[in-house]
Amino acid sequence: MTHRPFLPARLAPGLACALAACAALPAHAHVSLEWPAALAGTAYTATFQVGHGCGASPTRQVTVEIPAGVHGARPMPRPGWTVAIDRAPLATPVVHHGKPVTEDVVRITWTANTPADALDTAHYGEFVLRARLPQAPGPVYWPVRQVCAEGRHDWVQVPAPGLKAAALQAPAPVLDILPAGDAAGHSH
């Protein structure tokens, strides 16, 4: 028996087009998401790809700001790095699995334990978290701050209406949230 992941046939073309459009973009030396499109209201594994340091200086810290509407973010540990999770009260509490949630994760920071654990500028690294996406489709920007032994890159710019992220010097990684349609429901 062949097992295939569930994706409604009517959503597959839209997801394929979104992924193809992202694959057609030229390679840039900024932080990006491995999977730049996902279905609204689902659990999503965000893999932030860091392709370089600051010039010749290695990356010693990566901070991801959790966008509004994204809930329950949980980081994946990295060997040799410490993870810090910042929480804040929600403006409007939500109910998850029948329980009220009054605060949520707003920021996750990975910090190298020693200079030897830092991400060398000649190497590539991934920083991963899992979270529930908003129900509404549209772009969601994830500001990322990359601190090196010497210098930093703040990947936080969001394009103004009508502009493209390619025109920005330091664009925030963007996730295109697609309508879930009949695929919506309970997911982890």
Side-chain angles (χ1 to χ4, degrees):
M1 175 190 290
T2 303
H3 295 281
R4 291 183 292 192
F6 172 73
L7 183 63
R10 67 185 184 80
L11 295 178
L15 185 57
C17 288
L19 292 174
C22 291
L25 294 174
H28 293 286
H30 56 74
V31 175
S32 60
L33 285 165
E34 179 179 26
W35 297 103
L39 296 175
T42 61
Y44 173 69
T45 300
T47 302
F48 296 91
Q49 301 172 319
V50 177
H52 63 80
C54 305
S57 184
T59 301
R60 66 177 183 80
Q61 186 177 74
V62 172
T63 299
V64 175
E65 302 288 333
I66 307 303
V70 174
H71 295 289
R74 298 180 333 172
M76 178 183 286
R78 283 180 55 92
W81 292 64
T82 301
V83 178
I85 300 170
D86 295 327
R87 297 176 164 276
L90 291 171
T92 305
V94 296
V95 176
H96 183 64
H97 289 288
K99 297 179 183 174
V101 177
T102 59
E103 68 173 23
D104 210 347
V105 176
V106 294
R107 184 179 309 102
I108 297 174
T109 301
W110 291 264
T111 304
N113 293 334
T114 69
D117 293 320
L119 178 60
D120 188 275
T121 195
H123 298 148
Y124 156 88
E126 295 182 338
F127 297 82
V128 182
L129 64 87
R130 187 157 173 85
R132 287 185 319 279
L133 298 177
Q135 295 293 333
V140 172
Y141 294 90
W142 303 70
V144 176
R145 299 181 192 285
Q146 176 184 6
V147 178
C148 299
E150 295 179 22
R152 65 183 294 141
H153 293 295
D154 291 331
W155 307 103
V156 298
Q157 293 177 321
V158 175
L163 295 179
K164 299 203 181 251
L168 302 174
Q169 291 293 320
V174 61
L175 175 65
D176 188 19
I177 299 181
L178 304 173
D182 294 333
H186 189 83
S187 65
H188 288 268

